[in-house]
Amino acid sequence: MQLLKGHWQLIAITLVLFVFWNTPVVIPLKILIVFLHELAHAIATVLTGGSVIDLSVSPNQGGHVISRGGNRFITLTAGYLGSLVIGIALLVIALRTEADRAVLAIFGCLTLLVTILYVRDWFALLFCGATGLGMLAIARYLSRPVNDMVLRVIGLSSIIYVPYDIFDDTIRRSGARSDAYMLAEEFGGTTLFWGGLWLLLSLVAIFCCIRYGLGSESNLSFRERTRS
């Protein structure tokens, strides 16, 4: 309890997300986390010398990246873990800095850039375009506490969604053609092994975020920041 002292807003957001998790209200957030998953694949591809041909997300919370070249081991691993790292980074930035508006604006610009360069189908164009423009509008016209809350919600949604998605895609449905399935095909091991390893790493990352990222002793409280 001492660890979460001063973070009642995070607890409240988490409870609200859980209450509405299986309702249409949270679907846009889930699709956004899928976009982060595909974005992580794309970034890993580019950083390892490859090129991205197409990136997409769908209304049923699916998505894909079609790429050429790059390090396959890194790009396949980057999807789940990369999107979790992005979510944790957004949450920690919201908690520990006052750069909420700038970060959300950068995130919006990146979303629009990826949309222009790589997105081709209509749903993904509309969703990613609207999301990027929405982030820019929030960063430009709404208060810093609102920007802070948006980053918190995105970060917490990633922390909740990614471990569940890993379990569902790679352990519960180990025969599905997931990133872990393709990694096992190309590098050996089994889907359960890679999925289990990613799940363990994701839980360790979340624990570190809770243990060290939310430490009240070095963190500005939300109430203090809203008064500044």
Side-chain angles (χ1 to χ4, degrees):
M1 294 303 295
Q2 181 64 30
L3 180 63
L4 294 178
K5 183 180 180 180
H7 295 297
W8 63 266
Q9 297 90 355
L10 298 182
I11 298 173
I13 295 169
T14 302
L15 289 175
V16 170
L17 287 173
F18 271 111
V19 168
F20 291 100
W21 194 248
N22 292 318
T23 70
V25 175
V26 185
I27 288 178
L29 273 174
K30 291 182 177 180
I31 298 174
L32 177 58
I33 304 308
V34 172
F35 171 75
L36 295 184
H37 178 110
E38 305 307 337
L39 177 64
H41 279 311
I43 291 173
T45 298
V46 173
L47 290 180
T48 57
S51 59
V52 176
I53 299 171
D54 180 72
L55 183 151
S56 184
V57 293
S58 66
N60 63 355
Q61 303 165 44
H64 69 255
V65 167
I66 299 174
S67 60
R68 180 184 298 111
N71 185 300
R72 285 286 288 170
F73 184 87
I74 294 176
T75 57
L76 286 171
T77 303
Y80 295 110
L81 300 183
S83 60
L84 179 62
V85 168
I86 294 172
I88 289 175
L90 293 177
L91 178 61
V92 172
I93 287 170
L95 291 169
R96 289 183 171 268
T97 78
E98 298 183 3
D100 312 284
R101 182 176 279 116
V103 170
L104 192 61
I106 292 170
F107 192 8
C109 289
L110 177 62
T111 300
L112 290 176
L113 179 63
V114 170
T115 302
I116 293 169
L117 292 177
Y118 305 127
V119 177
R120 300 291 178 265
D121 68 272
W122 282 108
F123 174 81
L125 280 170
L126 290 173
F127 179 84
C128 296
T131 299
L133 291 173
M135 289 178 180
L136 290 178
I138 293 171
R140 174 65 178 85
Y141 296 109
L142 299 184
S143 66
R144 180 162 54 84
V146 173
N147 283 261
D148 180 277
M149 185 61 67
V150 170
L151 293 181
R152 289 176 183 229
V153 170
I154 296 173
L156 284 170
S157 297
S158 175
I159 288 173
I160 294 171
Y161 189 80
V162 170
Y164 169 79
D165 207 27
I166 293 174
F167 175 80
D168 189 56
D169 288 349
T170 69
I171 297 176
R172 190 178 73 84
R173 298 184 297 117
S174 59
R177 192 167 180 77
S178 62
D179 295 341
Y181 185 97
M182 289 186 282
L183 196 65
E185 277 188 328
E186 297 182 33
F187 296 95
T190 65
T191 302
L192 287 173
F193 169 77
W194 293 113
L197 179 60
W198 292 346
L199 182 59
L200 176 62
L201 291 174
S202 71
L203 294 177
V204 170
I206 292 168
F207 172 81
C208 290
C209 175
I210 294 172
R211 179 65 180 84
Y212 302 107
L214 309 188
S216 59
E217 68 279 2
S218 60
N219 185 45
L220 291 172
S221 73
F222 183 76
R223 183 175 301 170
E224 289 171 342
R225 294 174 60 188
T226 58
R227 287 204 300 263
S228 64

